[in-house]
Amino acid sequence: MFTIEVDSKTVETNGSETILSVCKREGVHVPTLCHMEGFPPSGACRLCMVELEGSSGLVPSCSFPVTKGMKIKTRSPKVLAARRTIVELLLSNHPDDCLYCSRNQRCDLQTLAAEFGVRERHYIGKKNNRDMDVSSPSIVRDPDKCVLCGRCVRVCEEIQGVSAIDFIHRGPKAVVGTAFETGLNVSSCINCGQCILVCPTAALTEHSYLAEVVAALSDPNKFVVVQHAPAVSVTIAEEFGIKPGKDADGQMVAALRKLGFKRVFDTSFTADLTIMEEGSELVKRIQSGGTLPMLTSCSPGWIKYVEQFYPDFIPNLSTCKSPQQMMGAVIKTFFAQREGLDPSKIVSVSIMPCTAKKFECAREEMGRDYVQDVDYVLTTRELGQLIRMFGVDMMEVEPDRADTPFGMRSTAGKIFGATGGVMEAAIRSAYFLLTGKELKELRVQEVRGLEGIKEAKIKIGDLEVGVAVASSLKNAAQLLESVRAGRKDIHFIEVMTCPGGCIAGGGQPLHGDQNAIKARMQALYQIDRDETLRVSHKNEDVARLYQEFLGAPLGEMSHKLLHTHYHKREVLV
Amino acid sequence: MTTVTQDIQPILKKYPNARRDSLITILQEVQDAQGYVSKESVIAIGQYLRLPASKVFGVATFYNQFRFHPTGRFHVQVCRGTACHVKGSLSLLDTVKKDLKILPGQTSRDRMFSLEVVACLGACGLSPVMCVNGEFFARMTPTRARKLLDGCRKEAVQS
Ligand code: SF4
Ligand code: SF4
Ligand code: SF4
Ligand code: FES
Ligand code: FES
């Protein structure tokens, strides 16, 4: 412990931190660009420079350790001038596209330029005019808007263990790109969108399908229906400036109707359905000596990851489609029949916290007769955009409820949106399926929370079931490696591609920090506390769907519509 | 594809238990053996060193010495070192690019020409310098460069 001086104020430090972390704690604003909370500093952007008394130049606060008695100035004219110069240099070859840019008003570079009051072009650089990469169904890259901060590269490597992208070339030619600068679609990218969340500019954005959806909504020959994922209702309000943690389910449903969707369904319904199928599959595998541990299959980034990097684990993947695709399948079959609709007239839209869902819905396994079950996937952010575009005041509308025949959902289906949620829901129902009794305590605390890997042993009758939950693929890989190395005590593994689960998905509102993610998670568990239908196997609409249409879990119809198979993928680059 | 990947296995075998610090040496050896670093080689090297292809490619492109296309029948080098720059190598390079319709680092579709920009060929007294298949051409001008390249084309037709 010793003290240092920040802007003439004496502050305490434990002595083993950086100048930046002291400043943050003390509420002293230091702008950063390349810095990422929880990662070792990279020192790439130099925006965080501060003046250190007794040293001639400026020092980068994000990587500079505190030393006893040091005196720091964070807002001297010299510091401010240096920072402004950095911003001006970043702008010098930047396309001045703000008005036409998807990050307009949500862009960190723009904010910096505004904060520093940049009013003149002191540096005019050559514009690059590089090609955009629109090859991926999920992610669009615009290298001209990249400021080479490296955040995407680090997330892709250090959180996801994918490394689809890296710095290519050097000096003025440097870009962030794939090996051989191919399109992302043929790269190892698993479409998670975590890179979008950390990108300060519009260099990385989702592949938007808003135009297609708007066109469908205005086509009188189309019957446009929509489903929304469990994690969307607890984040959409952030798009309208409400602080994280608000569940706006009813208002969002009402807003979706106002936008012109003929039916609004809650994907949590098919999350319940997934639990019936996946729970039965797990029980069957355990009882009949099937391949274990079984791995969940609802996160499409994870599926592609296994296909590419762990193909030997494909037999472990549950054959269940994801809730999105189950909903898509029952909409164009059961629902269409029930309403006397021609399935080819139905346009099935899905609002997801996820960019990989855009990839998933276009997989060839996910439809029949060359018709996709889900036609377009919009992210939470795109839904926000659509609501603004149509001028619907979402926070003012009268709340509404999801439509029949899929109107009911349990809170087990709802908590799918957080890491550990699928596991908890599955445990609740597997217990019932195996023992015929309900769990006394439905809450499974061991699988809740934001740790990357969580484990528990669950007693079901005289069976002890080992479960593990991983979020982020780096963590998932760690679990798989331990299984490869011979661990036998895990029966069931839940994997969510995004760290924290869908509440932190690549399609969620930008600028969601750890606190925001916690608040979103809390909102989901609050719903689980408040409501009475808390287990999937008591969802009466699910039971009716089985009665009237599907038969029994794992039955022939389920097999046809709700299950699928995955295949090894050669990673091109 | 498989033939190329097999080709580099003997090279890789020379580096048992190699880690990423051997990457540059391996890339150099592969380029020496094959004249360029192919996509297949990048992937194979990556698998061998347990490095993602994007990293291998990123490191390789950091250094100017690596090529990612096979060289053409005529490998043309244009010097862009200081001495040559002063003597007008920029417009020389421009002429060559336009004449060959390829950029530095590329190979023409018919595999006739490949173009490379080099820092200094060590012949500053002769600047600006061009080099075709290792042969030096001194005090080049755009006109002489065009003639030189036409000469190459003629040679190709005759043989
Ligand atoms: S990325 Fe930001 S600064 Fe660049 S054009 Fe878009 S909004 Fe403007
Ligand atoms: S979407 Fe995910 S896998 Fe793809 S480049 Fe971005 S971070 Fe990497
Ligand atoms: S794409 Fe975005 S996150 Fe990646 S280096 Fe460029 S600006 Fe940074
Ligand atoms: S934030 Fe410190 S160098 Fe970028
Ligand atoms: S600068 Fe061209 S040969 Fe030295």
Side-chain angles (χ1 to χ4, degrees), chain B residues 3 10 27 41 66 79 85 87 89 91 101-102 109 114 131 133 136 142 154 157:
Chain B
T3 50
L27 282 166
S41 306
F66 296 112
C79 180
H85 173 75
K87 292 288 186 61
S89 64
S91 66
K101 299 196 182 62
I102 54 174
R109 248 172 229 283
S114 50
C131 203
N133 291 348
F136 280 69
K154 281 203 191 95
V157 175

Side-chain angles (χ1 to χ4, degrees), chain A residues 272-350:
Chain A
D272 283 335
L273 186 60
T274 302
I275 288 299
M276 297 309 291
E277 294 291 328
E278 200 163 347
S280 308
E281 187 184 354
L282 178 65
V283 168
K284 188 170 158 201
R285 285 190 192 216
I286 291 178
Q287 288 174 339
S288 69
T291 312
L292 291 171
M294 187 169 89
L295 309 171
T296 57
S297 57
C298 31
S299 187
W302 155 243
I303 295 288
K304 186 164 185 258
Y305 183 81
V306 173
E307 291 175 318
Q308 288 174 178
F309 301 121
Y310 288 93
D312 48 323
F313 277 95
I314 289 177
N316 297 67
L317 284 172
S318 160
T319 59
C320 289
K321 289 183 183 172
S322 69
Q324 157 173 291
Q325 294 305 141
M326 286 198 184
M327 182 62 93
V330 294
I331 285 174
K332 289 205 179 172
T333 54
F334 175 70
F335 172 76
Q337 281 166 29
R338 189 176 184 269
E339 306 270 319
L341 287 164
D342 174 357
S344 68
K345 289 220 157 64
I346 297 179
V347 176
S348 184
V349 178
S350 153

Side-chain angles (χ1 to χ4, degrees), chain A residues 1-4 11-19 21-22 25 63-70:
Chain A
M1 281 298 261
F2 52 76
T3 60
I4 66 169
V11 298
E12 291 238 320
T13 156
N14 62 15
S16 59
E17 52 185 342
T18 60
I19 300 179
S21 76
V22 176
R25 197 174 49 240
S63 53
F64 208 88
V66 290
T67 51
K68 202 166 178 174
M70 73 182 348

Side-chain angles (χ1 to χ4, degrees), chain A residues 363-420:
Chain A
R363 287 181 67 117
E364 58 180 6
E365 302 90 351
M366 299 301 170
R368 264 151 284 98
D369 316 324
Y370 303 101
V371 178
Q372 283 179 214
D373 278 338
V374 173
D375 295 287
Y376 305 113
V377 174
L378 303 181
T379 59
T380 312
R381 296 189 293 270
E382 286 171 277
L383 175 60
Q385 173 71 33
L386 185 60
I387 292 174
R388 287 189 290 272
M389 193 190 285
F390 282 23
V392 174
D393 189 346
M394 190 186 90
M395 300 323 284
E396 288 305 317
V397 290
E398 225 15 75
D400 202 347
R401 307 194 43 187
D403 281 305
T404 47
F406 314 131
M408 191 182 274
R409 62 132 179 82
S410 77
T411 61
K414 189 69 181 168
I415 58 173
F416 263 56
T419 163

